[in-house]
Short mmCIF file of all heavy atoms in Angstrom, two decimals:
data_model
loop_
_atom_site.label_atom_id
_atom_site.label_comp_id
_atom_site.label_asym_id
_atom_site.label_seq_id
_atom_site.Cartn_x
_atom_site.Cartn_y
_atom_site.Cartn_z
N ALA I 174 -63.27 165.37 259.57
CA ALA I 174 -63.64 164.07 258.99
C ALA I 174 -64.63 163.34 259.89
O ALA I 174 -65.56 162.69 259.40
CB ALA I 174 -62.40 163.22 258.73
N ILE I 175 -64.42 163.44 261.21
CA ILE I 175 -65.35 162.81 262.16
C ILE I 175 -66.73 163.43 262.03
O ILE I 175 -67.74 162.72 261.95
CB ILE I 175 -64.80 162.92 263.60
CG1 ILE I 175 -63.62 161.96 263.79
CG2 ILE I 175 -65.90 162.66 264.63
CD1 ILE I 175 -62.87 162.15 265.09
N ALA I 176 -66.79 164.76 262.01
CA ALA I 176 -68.09 165.44 261.90
C ALA I 176 -68.81 165.06 260.61
O ALA I 176 -70.03 164.84 260.61
CB ALA I 176 -67.89 166.96 261.98
N SER I 177 -68.06 164.94 259.51
CA SER I 177 -68.67 164.53 258.24
C SER I 177 -69.26 163.13 258.33
O SER I 177 -70.36 162.88 257.85
CB SER I 177 -67.63 164.57 257.11
OG SER I 177 -67.21 165.88 256.87
N LEU I 178 -68.52 162.23 258.97
CA LEU I 178 -69.01 160.86 259.11
C LEU I 178 -70.20 160.78 260.07
O LEU I 178 -71.15 160.04 259.82
CB LEU I 178 -67.88 159.93 259.56
CG LEU I 178 -68.14 158.44 259.47
CD1 LEU I 178 -68.55 158.02 258.06
CD2 LEU I 178 -66.92 157.66 259.91
N GLU I 179 -70.16 161.56 261.15
CA GLU I 179 -71.28 161.56 262.09
C GLU I 179 -72.57 161.98 261.41
O GLU I 179 -73.65 161.47 261.74
CB GLU I 179 -70.98 162.51 263.26
CG GLU I 179 -69.94 161.97 264.22
CD GLU I 179 -69.48 162.99 265.24
OE1 GLU I 179 -69.45 164.21 264.92
OE2 GLU I 179 -69.14 162.57 266.36
N ASN I 180 -72.49 162.88 260.44
CA ASN I 180 -73.68 163.30 259.70
C ASN I 180 -74.27 162.18 258.86
O ASN I 180 -75.41 162.28 258.42
CB ASN I 180 -73.35 164.50 258.80
CG ASN I 180 -73.14 165.76 259.61
OD1 ASN I 180 -73.69 165.92 260.69
ND2 ASN I 180 -72.32 166.66 259.08
N LEU I 181 -73.50 161.13 258.64
CA LEU I 181 -73.95 159.98 257.83
C LEU I 181 -74.25 158.75 258.69
O LEU I 181 -74.33 157.64 258.18
CB LEU I 181 -72.87 159.63 256.80
CG LEU I 181 -72.44 160.73 255.85
CD1 LEU I 181 -71.24 160.30 255.01
CD2 LEU I 181 -73.61 161.16 254.96
N ASN I 182 -74.41 158.93 259.99
CA ASN I 182 -74.61 157.81 260.90
C ASN I 182 -75.74 156.90 260.41
O ASN I 182 -76.89 157.31 260.32
CB ASN I 182 -74.95 158.34 262.30
CG ASN I 182 -75.07 157.23 263.32
OD1 ASN I 182 -74.71 156.09 263.06
ND2 ASN I 182 -75.58 157.56 264.49
N PRO I 183 -75.42 155.63 260.10
CA PRO I 183 -76.44 154.71 259.58
C PRO I 183 -77.33 154.10 260.67
O PRO I 183 -78.29 153.40 260.36
CB PRO I 183 -75.61 153.62 258.90
CG PRO I 183 -74.35 153.58 259.70
CD PRO I 183 -74.09 155.02 260.12
N THR I 184 -77.00 154.37 261.94
CA THR I 184 -77.75 153.78 263.05
C THR I 184 -78.41 154.90 263.84
O THR I 184 -77.77 155.54 264.67
CB THR I 184 -76.79 152.96 263.95
OG1 THR I 184 -76.02 152.08 263.13
CG2 THR I 184 -77.56 152.15 264.98
N PRO I 185 -79.70 155.15 263.61
CA PRO I 185 -80.36 156.30 264.22
C PRO I 185 -80.48 156.25 265.75
O PRO I 185 -80.52 157.27 266.40
CB PRO I 185 -81.74 156.33 263.58
CG PRO I 185 -81.94 154.98 262.99
CD PRO I 185 -80.59 154.40 262.73
N HIS I 186 -80.51 155.07 266.33
CA HIS I 186 -80.60 154.91 267.79
C HIS I 186 -79.45 154.01 268.25
O HIS I 186 -79.68 152.86 268.64
CB HIS I 186 -81.95 154.33 268.19
CG HIS I 186 -83.12 155.07 267.63
ND1 HIS I 186 -83.50 156.31 268.09
CD2 HIS I 186 -83.97 154.77 266.62
CE1 HIS I 186 -84.55 156.74 267.40
NE2 HIS I 186 -84.85 155.82 266.49
N PRO I 187 -78.23 154.51 268.23
CA PRO I 187 -77.07 153.63 268.48
C PRO I 187 -77.07 152.95 269.84
O PRO I 187 -76.64 151.80 269.94
CB PRO I 187 -75.87 154.56 268.32
CG PRO I 187 -76.39 155.93 268.29
CD PRO I 187 -77.83 155.87 267.95
N VAL I 188 -77.56 153.60 270.88
CA VAL I 188 -77.53 153.00 272.21
C VAL I 188 -78.47 151.80 272.28
O VAL I 188 -78.22 150.85 273.01
CB VAL I 188 -77.89 154.06 273.28
CG1 VAL I 188 -78.07 153.42 274.64
CG2 VAL I 188 -76.81 155.12 273.34
N GLU I 189 -79.52 151.81 271.49
CA GLU I 189 -80.49 150.71 271.49
C GLU I 189 -80.12 149.59 270.52
O GLU I 189 -80.74 148.54 270.51
CB GLU I 189 -81.87 151.25 271.14
CG GLU I 189 -82.39 152.25 272.16
CD GLU I 189 -83.68 152.91 271.70
OE1 GLU I 189 -84.23 152.54 270.64
OE2 GLU I 189 -84.14 153.81 272.40
N SER I 190 -79.09 149.82 269.70
CA SER I 190 -78.71 148.85 268.68
C SER I 190 -77.84 147.74 269.25
O SER I 190 -76.98 147.97 270.09
CB SER I 190 -77.94 149.56 267.56
OG SER I 190 -77.41 148.62 266.66
N ASN I 191 -78.05 146.53 268.76
CA ASN I 191 -77.19 145.41 269.15
C ASN I 191 -75.76 145.57 268.63
O ASN I 191 -74.85 144.91 269.11
CB ASN I 191 -77.76 144.08 268.64
CG ASN I 191 -78.97 143.64 269.44
OD1 ASN I 191 -79.09 143.98 270.61
ND2 ASN I 191 -79.85 142.90 268.81
N LEU I 192 -75.57 146.45 267.65
CA LEU I 192 -74.24 146.69 267.10
C LEU I 192 -73.26 147.23 268.14
O LEU I 192 -72.06 147.05 268.02
CB LEU I 192 -74.30 147.67 265.92
CG LEU I 192 -74.95 147.18 264.64
CD1 LEU I 192 -75.05 148.31 263.63
CD2 LEU I 192 -74.17 146.01 264.06
N ILE I 193 -73.77 147.90 269.15
CA ILE I 193 -72.89 148.51 270.16
C ILE I 193 -72.21 147.45 271.03
O ILE I 193 -71.12 147.66 271.55
CB ILE I 193 -73.67 149.53 271.02
CG1 ILE I 193 -72.69 150.43 271.74
CG2 ILE I 193 -74.60 148.85 271.99
CD1 ILE I 193 -73.34 151.61 272.42
N ASN I 194 -72.84 146.32 271.18
CA ASN I 194 -72.32 145.25 272.03
C ASN I 194 -71.05 144.65 271.42
O ASN I 194 -70.94 144.48 270.23
CB ASN I 194 -73.38 144.15 272.18
CG ASN I 194 -73.10 143.25 273.35
OD1 ASN I 194 -72.83 143.71 274.45
ND2 ASN I 194 -73.17 141.96 273.12
N GLY I 195 -70.07 144.35 272.28
CA GLY I 195 -68.87 143.67 271.81
C GLY I 195 -67.59 144.37 272.23
O GLY I 195 -67.60 145.28 273.06
N ASN I 196 -66.50 143.92 271.65
CA ASN I 196 -65.17 144.44 271.97
C ASN I 196 -64.73 145.41 270.88
O ASN I 196 -64.77 145.07 269.69
CB ASN I 196 -64.16 143.30 272.09
CG ASN I 196 -64.54 142.33 273.19
OD1 ASN I 196 -65.29 142.66 274.11
ND2 ASN I 196 -64.04 141.12 273.11
N TRP I 197 -64.28 146.56 271.30
CA TRP I 197 -63.86 147.63 270.40
C TRP I 197 -62.42 148.02 270.72
O TRP I 197 -62.04 148.12 271.88
CB TRP I 197 -64.78 148.84 270.56
CG TRP I 197 -66.20 148.55 270.20
CD1 TRP I 197 -67.17 148.06 271.02
CD2 TRP I 197 -66.82 148.73 268.93
NE1 TRP I 197 -68.35 147.92 270.34
CE2 TRP I 197 -68.16 148.33 269.05
CE3 TRP I 197 -66.37 149.19 267.70
CZ2 TRP I 197 -69.05 148.38 267.98
CZ3 TRP I 197 -67.25 149.26 266.64
CH2 TRP I 197 -68.59 148.85 266.79
N ARG I 198 -61.63 148.27 269.67
CA ARG I 198 -60.23 148.68 269.83
C ARG I 198 -60.09 150.14 269.43
O ARG I 198 -60.59 150.56 268.38
CB ARG I 198 -59.33 147.79 268.97
CG ARG I 198 -57.85 148.08 269.11
CD ARG I 198 -57.00 147.10 268.30
NE ARG I 198 -57.44 146.92 266.94
CZ ARG I 198 -57.07 147.72 265.91
NH1 ARG I 198 -56.27 148.72 266.10
NH2 ARG I 198 -57.51 147.45 264.69
N LEU I 199 -59.40 150.90 270.25
CA LEU I 199 -59.24 152.33 270.01
C LEU I 199 -58.32 152.59 268.82
O LEU I 199 -57.20 152.09 268.77
CB LEU I 199 -58.67 153.01 271.26
CG LEU I 199 -58.54 154.53 271.19
CD1 LEU I 199 -59.91 155.19 271.19
CD2 LEU I 199 -57.69 155.04 272.34
N LEU I 200 -58.79 153.42 267.89
CA LEU I 200 -57.98 153.85 266.75
C LEU I 200 -57.47 155.27 266.93
O LEU I 200 -56.37 155.60 266.48
CB LEU I 200 -58.81 153.79 265.45
CG LEU I 200 -59.30 152.44 264.99
CD1 LEU I 200 -60.16 152.60 263.73
CD2 LEU I 200 -58.12 151.52 264.71
N TYR I 201 -58.29 156.13 267.57
CA TYR I 201 -57.94 157.54 267.71
C TYR I 201 -58.71 158.14 268.87
O TYR I 201 -59.87 157.79 269.11
CB TYR I 201 -58.29 158.31 266.42
CG TYR I 201 -57.99 159.78 266.52
CD1 TYR I 201 -56.70 160.26 266.29
CD2 TYR I 201 -58.97 160.69 266.87
CE1 TYR I 201 -56.41 161.61 266.41
CE2 TYR I 201 -58.70 162.05 266.98
CZ TYR I 201 -57.41 162.49 266.75
OH TYR I 201 -57.11 163.84 266.87
N THR I 202 -58.06 159.06 269.58
CA THR I 202 -58.73 159.80 270.64
C THR I 202 -58.08 161.16 270.85
O THR I 202 -56.91 161.35 270.50
CB THR I 202 -58.77 159.03 271.98
OG1 THR I 202 -59.60 159.73 272.89
CG2 THR I 202 -57.37 158.88 272.56
N THR I 203 -58.83 162.07 271.43
CA THR I 203 -58.30 163.34 271.90
C THR I 203 -58.22 163.36 273.42
O THR I 203 -57.87 164.37 274.01
CB THR I 203 -59.18 164.52 271.42
OG1 THR I 203 -60.51 164.34 271.92
CG2 THR I 203 -59.20 164.61 269.89
N SER I 204 -58.54 162.25 274.07
CA SER I 204 -58.57 162.16 275.53
C SER I 204 -57.15 162.22 276.12
O SER I 204 -56.34 161.31 275.91
CB SER I 204 -59.23 160.84 275.96
OG SER I 204 -59.02 160.61 277.34
N ASP I 205 -56.87 163.28 276.86
CA ASP I 205 -55.56 163.41 277.50
C ASP I 205 -55.29 162.27 278.48
O ASP I 205 -54.18 161.80 278.59
CB ASP I 205 -55.44 164.75 278.24
CG ASP I 205 -55.31 165.92 277.27
OD1 ASP I 205 -54.86 165.71 276.12
OD2 ASP I 205 -55.67 167.05 277.67
N SER I 206 -56.32 161.83 279.20
CA SER I 206 -56.10 160.76 280.18
C SER I 206 -55.64 159.47 279.50
O SER I 206 -54.80 158.75 280.03
CB SER I 206 -57.34 160.52 281.05
OG SER I 206 -58.43 160.13 280.25
N LEU I 207 -56.14 159.17 278.31
CA LEU I 207 -55.68 157.99 277.58
C LEU I 207 -54.33 158.23 276.92
O LEU I 207 -53.44 157.37 276.97
CB LEU I 207 -56.70 157.56 276.53
CG LEU I 207 -57.95 156.88 277.06
CD1 LEU I 207 -58.90 156.53 275.91
CD2 LEU I 207 -57.62 155.64 277.85
N LEU I 208 -54.17 159.38 276.29
CA LEU I 208 -52.90 159.67 275.62
C LEU I 208 -51.74 159.76 276.61
O LEU I 208 -50.62 159.41 276.27
CB LEU I 208 -53.02 160.95 274.80
CG LEU I 208 -54.01 160.87 273.63
CD1 LEU I 208 -54.14 162.24 272.95
CD2 LEU I 208 -53.61 159.82 272.62
N ASN I 209 -52.01 160.20 277.83
CA ASN I 209 -50.95 160.30 278.84
C ASN I 209 -50.48 158.94 279.34
O ASN I 209 -49.43 158.86 279.98
CB ASN I 209 -51.41 161.17 280.02
CG ASN I 209 -51.39 162.64 279.65
OD1 ASN I 209 -50.66 163.07 278.77
ND2 ASN I 209 -52.23 163.41 280.33
N LEU I 210 -51.23 157.89 279.07
CA LEU I 210 -50.78 156.55 279.45
C LEU I 210 -49.46 156.19 278.76
O LEU I 210 -48.69 155.38 279.28
CB LEU I 210 -51.84 155.50 279.11
CG LEU I 210 -53.12 155.51 279.93
CD1 LEU I 210 -54.13 154.52 279.37
CD2 LEU I 210 -52.83 155.23 281.39
N GLN I 211 -49.19 156.80 277.61
CA GLN I 211 -47.95 156.53 276.88
C GLN I 211 -46.73 157.04 277.66
O GLN I 211 -45.63 156.60 277.42
CB GLN I 211 -48.00 157.21 275.50
CG GLN I 211 -46.77 157.02 274.66
CD GLN I 211 -46.51 155.56 274.30
OE1 GLN I 211 -47.43 154.80 274.03
NE2 GLN I 211 -45.26 155.16 274.28
N ARG I 212 -46.94 157.90 278.62
CA ARG I 212 -45.83 158.51 279.35
C ARG I 212 -45.35 157.70 280.56
O ARG I 212 -44.49 158.15 281.29
CB ARG I 212 -46.23 159.92 279.79
CG ARG I 212 -46.44 160.83 278.60
CD ARG I 212 -46.59 162.27 279.00
NE ARG I 212 -46.64 163.10 277.82
CZ ARG I 212 -47.74 163.60 277.30
NH1 ARG I 212 -48.90 163.35 277.86
NH2 ARG I 212 -47.69 164.36 276.23
N LEU I 213 -45.92 156.52 280.76
CA LEU I 213 -45.45 155.69 281.87
C LEU I 213 -44.00 155.29 281.62
O LEU I 213 -43.66 154.83 280.52
CB LEU I 213 -46.31 154.44 282.01
CG LEU I 213 -47.72 154.65 282.55
CD1 LEU I 213 -48.50 153.34 282.49
CD2 LEU I 213 -47.70 155.18 283.96
N PRO I 214 -43.11 155.47 282.61
CA PRO I 214 -41.70 155.14 282.38
C PRO I 214 -41.50 153.65 282.14
O PRO I 214 -42.16 152.82 282.74
CB PRO I 214 -41.02 155.60 283.67
CG PRO I 214 -42.10 155.71 284.68
CD PRO I 214 -43.38 155.96 283.95
N PHE I 215 -40.58 153.35 281.24
CA PHE I 215 -40.14 151.99 280.92
C PHE I 215 -41.18 151.16 280.15
O PHE I 215 -40.95 150.00 279.86
CB PHE I 215 -39.71 151.21 282.17
CG PHE I 215 -38.72 151.95 283.02
CD1 PHE I 215 -39.10 152.41 284.27
CD2 PHE I 215 -37.45 152.20 282.56
CE1 PHE I 215 -38.20 153.10 285.06
CE2 PHE I 215 -36.54 152.90 283.33
CZ PHE I 215 -36.91 153.35 284.59
N TYR I 216 -42.33 151.72 279.87
CA TYR I 216 -43.39 150.98 279.21
C TYR I 216 -43.78 151.64 277.90
O TYR I 216 -43.66 152.84 277.73
CB TYR I 216 -44.65 150.90 280.09
CG TYR I 216 -44.58 149.84 281.15
CD1 TYR I 216 -44.23 150.16 282.45
CD2 TYR I 216 -44.86 148.52 280.85
CE1 TYR I 216 -44.17 149.18 283.43
CE2 TYR I 216 -44.80 147.53 281.82
CZ TYR I 216 -44.46 147.87 283.10
OH TYR I 216 -44.40 146.90 284.06
N GLN I 217 -44.29 150.81 277.01
CA GLN I 217 -44.92 151.28 275.78
C GLN I 217 -46.40 150.90 275.86
O GLN I 217 -46.74 149.82 276.33
CB GLN I 217 -44.30 150.60 274.55
CG GLN I 217 -42.88 151.03 274.27
CD GLN I 217 -42.83 152.47 273.81
OE1 GLN I 217 -43.64 152.92 273.02
NE2 GLN I 217 -41.88 153.22 274.35
N LEU I 218 -47.23 151.80 275.41
CA LEU I 218 -48.66 151.54 275.40
C LEU I 218 -48.99 150.60 274.25
O LEU I 218 -48.61 150.83 273.10
CB LEU I 218 -49.42 152.86 275.24
CG LEU I 218 -50.93 152.82 275.24
CD1 LEU I 218 -51.45 152.22 276.55
CD2 LEU I 218 -51.48 154.23 275.05
N GLY I 219 -49.65 149.51 274.57
CA GLY I 219 -50.10 148.56 273.55
C GLY I 219 -51.51 148.92 273.11
O GLY I 219 -51.85 150.10 272.98
#
Side-chain angles (χ1 to χ4, degrees):
I175 287 171
S177 294
L178 192 55
E179 287 171 328
N180 288 332
L181 303 173
N182 184 11
T184 310
H186 307 287
V188 171
E189 297 173 5
S190 172
N191 286 333
L192 290 175
I193 198 170
N194 198 48
N196 299 339
W197 298 87
R198 183 176 49 85
L199 184 69
L200 296 177
Y201 178 83
T202 188
T203 59
S204 168
D205 288 336
S206 61
L207 286 179
L208 295 175
N209 285 335
L210 290 173
Q211 179 63 39
R212 295 190 173 101
L213 289 174
F215 309 112
Y216 279 99
Q217 290 292 318
L218 182 59

